[in-house]
Amino acid sequence: MAKLFILSVVATVALVQVCSAVHLGEALNNNIRQHLSLYDSFAKSPDAVKFSGDLKKLMEITEGALKIENVDEKENTINNLHTHFSADFNSWIALKLEEAEVNEDIQGAITFYSQLLKQKSSHEAEIKKTITTLETLLKENDLQKKEKEYLGLSNNFSPEFAAYLKTSSLPVINDTLQKTIKFFDSVLAQKEGKFVKEITELKAMVEGVLGESASIEEKNRVLGEVTSANNNKELHAYLTKKHIELS
């Protein structure tokens, strides 16, 4: 699971968001709004009391970035958020954001399996059991345990259910992986000489989970890491702009 850090958490705009954005500024603003919503939810958690002042300041600076017209200035403001806070707060907010990311993945999985129930298959009992497991994971407070059990979810599937999942969802995921590889190929084909090693490595990550041996969770995990460009904010900014150009 890609770890999110305060210095790049807002500026690293997900490539899937950029696809629907008119320009980079809009994509950044979409991402900023999402994080403001997260910060607001963090403020309601019991462990936020000791950081209430810092959290308020973070929201104020982030809201200010939303109003900045110049994209470079907006991005610079977000990329330097961490300089306004202590190491303790930066670590705390990074952990909260990572937890939110894991929970979002689990919620997405619950939605996916809930939709499978509507297909009236012979795997109804196992689908319901999987949904119950995921709902229990949402309540788990140990982040490492939550992440590990989520990624290992398919280990408990029966062979028949695993085969059913492959026929019902795998084609969609693999199509996304193929399109991601095609995007990296297009960027590399421009031969600009920027981030060649890093982009080649990201492409290899995606290619590595195209095979049948990779689970659905593993494929989604890699897509998540590739989307965040392994938390390399300079690389992500470059790929974001290339995605806009090539869309």
Side-chain angles (χ1 to χ4, degrees):
M1 188 68 60
K3 296 182 183 299
L4 300 179
F5 296 94
I6 187 68
L7 72 162
S8 61
V9 67
V10 179
T12 53
V13 185
L15 295 181
V16 291
Q17 291 178 312
V18 177
C19 291
S20 59
V22 176
H23 49 67
L24 182 57
E26 181 182 339
L28 280 169
N29 284 341
N30 287 340
N31 197 255
I32 289 172
R33 292 187 188 96
Q34 288 181 7
H35 282 82
L36 280 171
S37 178
L38 285 174
Y39 298 154
D40 185 58
S41 67
F42 296 164
K44 300 171 184 175
S45 61
D47 59 341
V49 176
K50 64 180 294 188
F51 295 114
S52 58
D54 286 327
L55 196 52
K56 181 180 179 181
K57 181 179 178 181
L58 173 62
M59 294 181 71
E60 289 174 348
I61 297 175
T62 306
E63 287 171 347
L66 197 60
K67 301 173 184 177
I68 297 174
E69 295 292 336
N70 182 277
V71 173
D72 290 335
E73 185 181 348
K74 183 192 296 286
E75 197 168 10
N76 184 63
T77 298
I78 294 303
N79 285 340
N80 287 290
L81 276 172
H82 66 291
T83 63
H84 298 278
F85 305 99
S86 66
D88 283 346
F89 177 71
N90 285 340
S91 296
W92 178 80
I93 198 71
L95 187 63
K96 298 296 288 186
L97 287 165
E98 183 179 359
E99 183 179 14
E101 182 188 20
V102 175
N103 286 340
E104 183 179 4
D105 287 346
I106 294 174
Q107 287 283 13
I110 291 173
T111 299
F112 167 73
Y113 288 108
S114 296
Q115 291 173 341
L116 284 185
L117 275 179
K118 300 176 182 178
Q119 297 182 13
K120 304 296 181 181
S121 71
S122 60
H123 303 285
E124 183 174 331
E126 197 158 1
I127 294 172
K128 288 182 177 179
K129 179 182 177 182
T130 301
I131 293 174
T132 299
T133 299
L134 288 166
E135 289 174 339
T136 300
L137 276 181
L138 274 180
K139 302 173 185 177
E140 174 60 55
N141 293 321
D142 187 325
L143 182 57
Q144 288 188 339
K145 180 180 179 182
K146 175 184 292 191
E147 185 175 341
K148 181 179 179 180
E149 291 188 7
Y150 169 67
L151 291 176
L153 187 67
S154 60
N155 294 336
N156 299 316
F157 293 164
S158 67
E160 295 78 14
F161 184 48
Y164 168 71
L165 286 176
K166 285 186 177 182
T167 58
S168 61
S169 64
L170 206 56
V172 177
I173 297 174
N174 282 339
D175 182 61
T176 301
L177 292 170
Q178 291 282 11
K179 288 179 179 177
T180 303
I181 292 172
K182 184 178 179 181
F183 166 68
F184 288 140
D185 281 336
S186 297
V187 175
L188 291 171
Q190 293 184 336
K191 297 183 178 180
E192 293 184 346
K194 298 180 179 179
F195 302 105
V196 175
K197 178 177 179 293
E198 291 86 349
I199 295 172
T200 301
E201 289 175 349
L202 289 177
K203 178 186 172 185
M205 285 175 59
V206 179
E207 291 174 332
V209 294
L210 266 178
E212 294 184 0
S213 61
S215 68
I216 292 174
E217 287 75 26
E218 181 69 7
K219 290 174 185 286
N220 280 322
R221 180 189 65 78
V222 168
L223 279 174
E225 292 184 358
V226 168
T227 296
S228 68
N230 279 337
N231 295 306
N232 181 328
K233 64 179 185 296
E234 291 84 7
L235 171 59
H236 197 285
Y238 175 72
L239 289 176
T240 296
K241 292 173 183 177
K242 299 310 294 183
H243 205 284
I244 294 172
E245 291 175 13
L246 296 170
S247 296

